[in-house]
Amino acid sequence: MLLENKNAIVYGAAGVIGGAVARAFARDGARVFLAGRTLATLEEVAAGIRAHGGMAEAAQVDAMDKAAVDAHADRVVAAAGRIDVSFNAVAVDAVQGIALTEISAEDFLAPITGLCRTNFLTATAAARQMAAQGAGVIVTLTASAAKESRHEMGGFSLACAAVEALTRTLAGEFGRRGVRVVGLRSNFTPETYPAVTDEMLAPLLKDTLLGRLPRLAELAGTAVYLASDGAGAISGAMVNLTCGAIID
């Protein structure tokens, strides 16, 4: 098991991506602390993990609230002794499909403010704990939008690019203190949006080299690897899961 004896916090763990990553972490041996705004849905994910022999605990945490994030991190350390992995899958509202000349400033800035805030709060809370213990991994999540130009993504593109910059900056500041910070840059994952149609997918598929989009299991499996000791030489980098839509 790649994450045996590791303690992992997953923010937004009741969502499709957060839940998939939490379950993957647990399957590979981690004790998973599920955090999010709705305790009932978090408890469902936790119960499913425990039913399959994993270790999971749920807590209501507003990942946009510094006091709540810091207090939860302190509780995890008090209960488990340390935080080994932090993963943020918190979703934010983003108005898309509108030209930049037509979108309002409020709609443009909303995803930038939201993604930057939650990732800053959760990553720095983890970094404080990890630096004190001399080890840990922070995994961020962005999208192909960070590098795209032709799709009308509103402020979401800038939001993803900002989180990638935060990933590099944190990696530089905390790497010598034993903390790795790595990112996942995924493309649109159809499993996260059941109502998606072939017409909606067509322009996205056209952009890829593989002729398909990433699978949820691929995203979760990569998160497990990046959080593991096997990826110990990777820090300050974004791992490309865009199926060739973005060429690094």
Side-chain angles (χ1 to χ4, degrees), residues 10 15 28 31 33 46 83 102 104 110 119 125 132 134 143 155 162 183 198 204 217 232 236 239:
V10 178
D28 260 275
R31 180 181 178 183
F33 293 85
I83 299 170
E102 303 299 325
S104 70
N119 278 278
D198 291 342
L204 300 178
V239 176

Side-chain angles (χ1 to χ4, degrees), residues 41 49 104 108 110 120-121 124 141 150 157 169 181 195 198 206 216 240:
T41 51
I49 289 172
S104 70
F108 177 76
F120 170 76
L121 293 178
T124 53
L141 176 67
R150 71 181 185 85
S157 297
T169 303
V181 189
D198 291 342
K206 183 179 179 181
L216 191 59
N240 189 334

Side-chain angles (χ1 to χ4, degrees), residues 66-91:
K66 174 176 168 54
V69 170
D70 288 347
H72 177 253
D74 288 341
R75 292 197 299 272
V76 171
V77 172
R82 57 189 289 126
I83 299 170
D84 298 294
V85 182
S86 175
F87 180 82
N88 188 319
V90 172

Side-chain angles (χ1 to χ4, degrees), residues 91-240:
V92 298
D93 292 331
V95 174
Q96 300 177 27
I98 300 176
L100 291 176
T101 52
E102 303 299 325
I103 195 170
S104 70
E106 291 75 18
D107 286 342
F108 177 76
L109 290 170
I112 301 169
T113 302
L115 274 184
C116 288
R117 181 177 183 85
T118 184
N119 278 278
F120 170 76
L121 293 178
T122 60
T124 53
R128 292 186 195 99
Q129 302 284 355
M130 293 173 178
Q133 66 200 26
V137 186
I138 299 166
V139 183
T140 63
L141 176 67
T142 67
S144 55
K147 295 284 187 177
E148 288 172 346
S149 58
R150 71 181 185 85
H151 298 295
E152 294 176 333
M153 303 299 292
F156 187 62
S157 297
L158 186 55
C160 289
V163 172
E164 294 190 6
L166 176 65
T167 301
R168 293 189 295 271
T169 303
L170 281 169
E173 290 190 12
F174 287 92
R176 298 296 179 93
R177 301 175 70 179
V179 183
R180 291 194 298 112
V181 189
V182 294
L184 284 171
R185 182 195 298 138
S186 184
N187 205 330
F188 177 72
T189 307
E191 292 151 283
T192 65
Y193 189 63
V196 69
T197 64
D198 291 342
E199 183 179 4
M200 294 164 62
L201 291 177
L204 300 178
L205 292 171
K206 183 179 179 181
D207 284 348
T208 70
L209 298 182
L210 298 182
R212 68 173 180 88
L213 294 166
R215 304 178 181 105
L216 191 59
E218 292 170 330
L219 195 160
T222 303
V224 169
Y225 171 69
L226 291 178
S228 75
D229 295 340
I234 303 175
S235 192
M238 301 302 301
V239 176
N240 189 334

